[in-house]
Amino acid sequence: MSATTYAQNGVLTGTISASGNPLAYASVSLRGTSYGCTTDQYGIFKLAGIKPGEYVMVCSSIGYFAKHIRVKISGDTVIQNAELQEGSSKLSEVIVTGVSRATELRSNPVPIAVITRKEIQQIINTNIIDAITKGVPGVTAVTTGPNISKPFIRGLGYNRVLTLYDGIRQEGQQWGDEHGIEVDQYAMARAEVIKGPASLTYGSDALAGVINLIPYVPAGENGKLSGDWTTEYHTNNGLIASSLGLAYKKNDWKYAFRATGKTAHNYYNKVDGYVYNTAYQENIFSGMARIDKPWGYSQFSAAAYNNKQEIPDGSRDSLTRRFTVQVAEGANDDIKNRPFAPVKWLTSYGITPLHQHIQHYRIYNKTEIKAGSGIFSTSLGWQQSVRREYNHPTQPEQPGLYVTLNTINYDFRYSPQVWHGWETSFGVNGIYQNNASKDATDFPIPDYGLFDIGAFAFAKKTFGRVDISGGIRYDTRHINWDDFYVGLNPTNGFEQKVSASDRAGKLQFPAFSHNYYGISGSLGCTYNISERVLLKANIARGYRAPNITEIGSNGLDPGAHIVYLGNRNFKPEFSLQKDLGFIAYLKDADLALEVFNNNIENYIYQSRLNDENGNPVIIVPGNTTYQYQQSKARLYGAEFTFNLHPQSTKWVEFDNSLAYVIGLNKNQKLIEQSNGAAKYVPFIPPFHWQSDLKFKWNASLGWFSKFWLRTGLDFFAAQNRFYALNDTETPTPGYTLAHAGVGSTIKRKSGKPIFELFIQADNLFDVAYQSNLNRLKYFEYYTASPNGRSGIYNMGRNVSFKVVFTL
């Protein structure tokens, strides 16, 4: 009977083409259903087993405008061809982040941006977050040297920005200032960025937004090994990087493997010279196996990340401003009379004894099953983050911080058959994790356990020109730890974790157990004025439970050179954000204006701690003390994008973007007591204007083809709206950075590409500047210096060379 029923269903087939030529690997789907496929190398597609009825066939491919065609399916075979028009519009791009089903960017009312692999390659960078900050307005990063960048979205960061790797939430102890994102920048196919609360589908830690890093898998021909090899060199810090990716496809199976290695010495600027202890080494291995069947797909992936990153502390001679080296500890360490860092160390690729060693392991499975006309999807993963921070010069093999974080990720979702035009999705997801200190001497946080679970419902429907979507979610998070005692280690003279029965031990972290709850949701609509012009509006309530350092910290984090003091009475954060957007992808220009207003209850932030006489509280010599605070806050601002690409002169593009945000502290009592010093919240980026002029020539000239040239400016205004209480932050002068780059495809006489070449110069005029989001700005031991400069400056001029071979 089932075979007879299947035979009565219909078949849809045809050819997708562009400019009269077959279009391989184009996507074909029936809107609102689980029916979908990609075209073969001849542009042919085939969808079978379709229930009779009327559908909208959606044909799309990156670089082309999507096409919507109404088709009527009966029990016979229906032939429907489609011709796609080439275009640069991103409105037709398919996104997978924050939606129930893969959907077009245009229909999502939540502000979301996409940066492609091509854009990531052309924006040469030292890590993937830097590439995103240069390509997406409204996204910035708090940095600690050239290889540690923590993403901020519209002035909010740390655990408020949820980073995903292939849809799996990244858990690598994001609570620390000096902790980066442990992923392979060369392995990315694209990045999707949600700007605003995304707690609806992801729960806590997505209050500011989501960055979903989607790995790259070369398509390749069946039965043939394919891949790419990238090699890169930077002149400023001598960065040498190489990455090899291989892929193999055999019928229903796909396999992929990538190995990446990077090494760099200290970076340079004309104020500080070579900045001592900013070198790093990084090695990453990843692999994937995937099977695609008519019932759906299942994918197994694994990755191993290994990084050694030096720890700068900013100590230097008061007169010459040369960097110095810590060689003693405690009372024997005369900070103002340390020896100079040897010149040969400054350009050495070796790692000094004072460094952090980060290892991150990831194994996960993603499975999608077509259940009738619905889709059931699961994501299960395990991660382990091992972090050691070595800060004892007299005992270099003894880590100061040594913690291991184990996390289990789970996500179950079901999207039933479209009912009267309503697309719905229901899901349950969360994490289970535990963190344990090992053979350490410093204990900034206790050993803890955490269990997080949330359930959500999402719905979407189109009413003529209006797309409406929204949903609701409920979350609960339990966090607990036992009494944590610290006592003297007679072997090395430092502290160690001891049992409660040790009479000489002191109770550093009293036991704690608490449940946090939150309701979040969103409602938004997109009005399609035309195929190319849209109006968007969205209101969302976000939720975030306090993280471990905010409620539990009570000790030195040696890598950050900060003693953190938490507050176990903190309440969860709740935000209410309103977004309005106007988007127009016209024939000759792109326009986008997004404005937002975000009110946050129970906002948590860091504040430098002073005593009653106004002097900094020093608990550990040479390290600053910060205490977490909580109050109401308001953040508002806008982003504007104007890209000019005249069809009459396709060889030129002129791209511009502006981003502006203000963060206000709403604790009026504190503002009055501090005479206005606490008016603003910390880590707010200044006004930023970015402009790029690009020229492209598709004609071939000998070995060269697809030649392009670009130049541009990054203007950062002075930041005078900062959290000034206790000198937590200081004003930052404005600056302008120039950059330029060229690129081309090098090909054989036969026309087959050999490799792509990219050359880029950043900070072209070698400007001496400090970003207000650069933590090294505050690494200073003196109240004054001979040259009037305080803290450490950002990287000077850097010329980058990158070559990408297609195998």
Side-chain angles (χ1 to χ4, degrees), residues 436-455:
S437 292
K438 302 295 185 181
D439 179 25
T441 65
D442 297 298
F443 307 94
I445 58 172
D447 296 351
Y448 70 91
L450 182 152
F451 178 71
D452 182 286
I453 187 170

Side-chain angles (χ1 to χ4, degrees), residues 375-392:
I375 300 173
F376 178 69
S377 60
T378 66
S379 295
L380 294 171
W382 169 83
Q383 297 176 69
Q384 184 181 74
S385 175
V386 182
R387 183 175 299 273
R388 304 178 187 91
E389 296 181 356
Y390 296 90
N391 64 319
H392 296 300

Side-chain angles (χ1 to χ4, degrees), residues 25 41 219-226 248-250:
Y25 309 115
Q41 57 183 323
E221 297 180 18
N222 193 51
K224 183 178 179 181
L225 186 68
S226 62
Y248 181 75
K249 178 182 179 183
K250 186 65 174 179

